Amino acid sequence: DQQVKQNSPSLSVQEGRISILNCDYTNSMFDYFLWYKKYPAEGPTFLISISSIKDKNEDGRFTVFLNKSAKHLSLHIVPSQPGDSAVYFCAASAGYSGNTPLVFGKGTRLSVIA
Amino acid sequence: DAGITQSPRHKVTETGTPVTLRCHQTENHRYMYWYRQDPGHGLRLIHYSYGVKDTDKGEVSDGYSVSRSKTEDFLLTLESATSSQTSVYFCAISEFGQGDGYEQYFGPGTRLTVT
């Protein structure tokens, strides 16, 4: 049973436009959420996180929104750039400590077209 | 860069042979993790460690064992490799980030093929 779902396997966006990547979760114990970006043949790289006490967190072009009642989060990238083309993973954990395992979604492949 | 290296980066082995993958970190992180990534499955946790000689199982631990005798090294062993263990293996560490909790940082990965 998938606890973290990324229902869109792929997404294409034109350069300069907004990219919106979505993630849903089923476990109501999850209270910390992270987004990772992965290029081919490299390890995932941390992008941005959000805890359940917030509904929005921004870092430059990246903003994560959390809707706890809907168990839904989204990553907005504005403006999208060709270098943003990668696979994006949503992850969640129940707790904030270092030994709390992360549960990952299956990823969404973003293609930014010039 | 979280100072994580993995070795080997690529390995081809035969079914039934033992295989050990090594993860090495240079920054004295307490928490270390092993994941596998497969098409259609995302990243799945195999085992993790919260200190020297302290380890626990993850979601897909069957067929794998781990050891951590030094802070800097976390070893993943496939006692008898099977074709279903063909995958890309990632090691990760976690550290408290600028946000509200721990963030995990990943190594470059090991591509393992079991023939």
Side-chain angles (χ1 to χ4, degrees):
Chain A
D1 183 30
Q2 252 189 293
Q3 299 186 72
V4 177
K5 300 177 185 179
Q6 294 178 256
N7 292 320
S8 298
S10 63
L11 175 68
S12 288
V13 172
Q14 280 201 312
E15 181 179 6
R17 299 290 188 102
I18 183 172
S19 295
I20 300 176
L21 295 100
N22 294 304
C23 178
D24 298 295
Y25 61 96
T26 58
N27 188 338
S28 58
M29 299 299 291
F30 287 152
D31 55 5
Y32 187 55
F33 305 89
L34 307 91
W35 283 93
Y36 286 82
K37 176 171 73 173
K38 186 182 181 306
Y39 293 121
E42 294 183 10
T45 54
F46 170 76
L47 268 178
I48 193 169
S49 63
I50 188 168
S51 65
S52 59
I53 61 173
K54 298 177 180 176
D55 54 18
K56 177 182 174 181
N57 190 25
E58 279 183 85
D59 185 0
R61 296 186 298 113
F62 302 91
T63 302
V64 56
F65 295 91
L66 176 62
N67 183 332
K68 291 184 290 294
S69 61
K71 295 190 177 67
H72 176 83
L73 63 154
S74 60
L75 175 69
H76 292 212
I77 307 173
V78 184
S80 301
Q81 300 173 353
D84 296 329
S85 297
V87 177
Y88 289 78
F89 290 100
C90 171
S93 69
Y96 302 81
S97 65
N99 65 340
T100 304
L102 291 181
V103 179
F104 284 82
K106 294 184 178 181
T108 296
R109 182 177 301 278
L110 173 65
S111 299
V112 180
I113 304 161
Chain B
D1 185 0
I4 306 168
T5 57
Q6 294 185 230
S7 59
R9 294 292 314 280
H10 301 271
K11 185 170 183 66
V12 180
T13 191
E14 293 185 350
T15 299
T17 59
V19 176
T20 295
L21 309 183
R22 179 182 184 235
C23 177
H24 179 77
Q25 52 118 342
T26 58
E27 298 182 4
N28 206 36
H29 295 291
R30 177 182 176 188
Y31 303 103
M32 298 184 75
Y33 309 81
W34 277 108
Y35 290 87
R36 60 179 288 175
Q37 187 197 6
D38 304 289
H41 287 279
L43 288 144
R44 293 181 292 173
L45 181 65
I46 305 171
H47 282 278
Y48 63 101
S49 170
Y50 43 95
V52 172
K53 297 186 180 178
D54 290 323
T55 64
D56 208 345
K57 295 179 179 180
E59 177 189 356
V60 290
S61 59
D62 287 348
Y64 302 94
S65 62
V66 289
S67 65
R68 193 167 178 203
S69 58
K70 300 184 289 185
T71 298
E72 58 266 35
D73 289 324
F74 191 31
L75 304 180
L76 177 71
T77 298
L78 292 65
E79 301 290 348
S80 178
T82 68
S83 59
S84 66
Q85 294 175 312
T86 292
S87 187
V88 181
Y89 291 86
F90 290 102
C91 174
I93 59 89
S94 71
E95 61 183 26
F96 199 84
Q98 297 178 354
D100 300 317
Y102 279 78
E103 298 157 4
Q104 291 190 14
Y105 295 88
F106 288 81
T110 294
R111 181 174 294 277
L112 176 68
T113 302
V114 183
T115 61

